[in-house]
């Protein structure tokens, strides 16, 4: 369903389009990686490091430019929203980055041990993806309407420009 707000004030769709491409990329890579092969595993780990570093930057941009400002607007309007406070409070991204970094230790072990690590990584990625896609949908479907409600049109245009710029330079 097409969003009911103009593109110039839609702060989530463009960055999320990039995040979804990255999800698609690692989902494809993981199906073709032979975890028993050291080079294959190391190549996957390098790609995942880049992907999850980009996810982390995305989260930080949202925290600083969107969520913090939205919380301030809600506070000024005496509105309480646990969803805004909690949307990035879990450690899923940090845990995934830790698991990927740990993979380099396993890359130098035996084929069987690399396969054990690969299975663990596949499961963790699967669970992460199952949470990350709905999380982005929540931002688009719940938080964007809140932004439309509590920010002026000009404020949102300015906010979107800053969000895009920060993603571009990070
Ligand atoms: Fe847009 Fe919080 O991921």
């Amino acid at each position: 369903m097409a969003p009911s707000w103009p593109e110039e004030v839609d702060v989530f769709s463009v960055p999320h389009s990039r995040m979804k491409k990255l999800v698609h990329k690692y989902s494809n890579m993981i199906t073709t990686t032979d975890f028993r092969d050291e080079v294959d595993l190391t190549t996957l780990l390098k790609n995942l490091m880049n992907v999850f570093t980009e996810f982390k930057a995305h989260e930080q941009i949202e925290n600083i430019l969107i969520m913090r400002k939205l919380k301030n607007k809600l506070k000024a309007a005496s509105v309480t929203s646990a969803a805004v406070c909690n949307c990035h409070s879990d450690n899923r991204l940090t845990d995934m980055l830790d698991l990927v970094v740990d993979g380099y230790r396993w890359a130098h072990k035996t084929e069987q041990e690399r396969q054990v690590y690969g299975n663990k990584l596949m499961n963790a990625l699967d669970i992460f993806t199952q949470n990350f896609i709905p999380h982005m949908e929540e931002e688009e479907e719940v938080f964007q309407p809140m932004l439309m409600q509590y920010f002026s049109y000009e404020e949102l245009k300015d906010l979107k420009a800053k969000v895009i710029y920060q993603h571009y330079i990070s």
Side-chain angles (χ1 to χ4, degrees):
M1 192 174 68
S4 54
W5 37 81
E7 196 182 321
E8 63 183 355
V9 293
D10 183 341
V11 302
F12 292 112
S13 291
V14 171
H16 283 180
S17 165
R18 167 73 182 159
M19 301 307 129
K20 286 168 192 172
K21 268 189 194 146
L22 293 174
V23 169
H24 188 65
K25 180 182 168 184
Y26 73 63
S27 299
N28 280 340
M29 271 198 90
I30 201 112
T31 60
T32 56
T33 299
D34 178 0
F35 294 107
R36 292 166 303 171
D37 183 88
E38 184 175 346
V39 174
D40 244 28
L41 176 57
T42 306
T43 302
L44 175 70
L45 292 172
K46 278 182 193 156
N47 277 281
L48 287 175
M49 275 298 292
N50 291 337
V51 165
F52 279 89
T53 301
E54 201 168 327
F55 286 172
K56 194 77 189 163
H58 169 69
E59 185 178 271
Q60 282 168 349
I61 292 165
E62 286 181 339
N63 281 342
I64 294 166
L65 289 182
I66 302 174
M67 300 308 172
R68 193 180 291 172
K69 288 184 172 152
L70 179 56
K71 276 183 211 171
N72 288 340
K73 289 278 188 185
L74 293 175
K75 194 173 170 188
S78 301
V79 175
T80 308
S81 173
V84 178
C85 300
N86 295 329
C87 90
H88 291 144
S89 62
D90 57 64
N91 292 322
R92 285 192 195 115
L93 278 175
T94 308
D95 290 347
M96 278 306 309
L97 270 168
D98 288 347
L99 182 60
V100 172
V101 169
D102 191 44
Y104 286 99
R105 193 167 56 85
W106 291 86
H108 303 300
K109 296 194 174 185
T110 65
E111 285 189 0
Q112 288 81 2
E113 286 171 311
R114 280 195 285 275
Q115 186 63 59
V116 168
Y117 170 78
N119 292 341
K120 188 176 167 187
L121 181 63
M122 271 199 298
N123 286 336
L125 272 175
D126 194 33
I127 292 167
F128 174 84
T129 307
Q130 283 177 34
N131 285 291
F132 191 46
I133 299 294
H135 165 72
M136 288 192 281
E137 286 169 359
E138 181 188 29
E139 289 176 335
E140 293 163 22
E141 293 165 13
V142 178
F143 296 152
Q144 180 70 38
M146 288 171 87
L147 293 170
M148 300 301 294
Q149 186 177 352
Y150 291 101
F151 286 70
S152 72
Y153 197 88
E154 286 306 312
E155 281 177 320
L156 280 183
K157 265 174 71 176
D158 182 54
L159 188 55
K160 174 169 181 178
K162 285 179 178 150
V163 166
I164 298 296
Y165 177 71
Q166 285 301 322
H167 278 87
Y168 180 72
I169 62 167
S170 61

